[in-house]
Amino acid sequence: MSDIEANKAVAHRYMRAVEEGDVETIEALQHPDCQWWILGHGDMSRADFIASVKGGLLSAQKRTAEVIAITAEGDRVAVEVRGEMVFPDRVYRNDYHNLLIIRDGQIVSGKEYMDTRAVAEAFSAGESGQ
């Protein structure tokens, strides 16, 4: 398997772990020094990113992360994802673009782009009902 195909496989495993709420695999696929940048949030350490993922993913009753397209060149993997999380009081849907830098089978850097309006509408609506 070429490095590019191996990197794409890591990206697919990561998205499957997100869908399954498999935090152990999400953590294992990230290098200890992994850094993230999330649209609307900015830079995040690996620890802060994982805490954020746990708070969102694990509170959802159901998750889907459908990979629409994946493109790779060298250590860069671009993944288009259509996501949905079902919570007791709302459904959150969004389309994502993730740019992952993968080396030696682990994500060393990630950038996540999404519709920030969909995030605000889904999560501010849930908070106002509390």
Side-chain angles (χ1 to χ4, degrees), residues 4 16 18 21 25 43 45 47 50 77 83 86 88 100 110 125:
I4 289 175
R16 188 170 49 252
V18 167
T25 298
D43 294 323
S45 69
I50 289 171
V77 180
V86 178
L100 306 175

Side-chain angles (χ1 to χ4, degrees), residues 55-110:
L57 285 181
L58 297 182
S59 62
Q61 296 171 319
K62 179 183 172 196
R63 295 161 299 281
T64 58
E66 177 189 1
V67 174
I68 304 301
I70 189 164
T71 305
E73 180 176 302
D75 61 2
R76 298 166 54 94
V77 180
V79 186
E80 292 178 70
V81 178
R82 181 157 296 131
E84 179 178 277
M85 290 195 290
V86 178
F87 297 93
D89 60 343
R90 67 193 175 279
V91 176
Y92 165 60
R93 292 180 186 91
N94 212 329
D95 291 321
Y96 300 88
H97 177 272
N98 290 281
L99 178 59
L100 306 175
I101 307 299
I102 299 172
R103 293 190 188 113
D104 299 321
Q106 288 188 303
I107 299 166
V108 297
S109 175

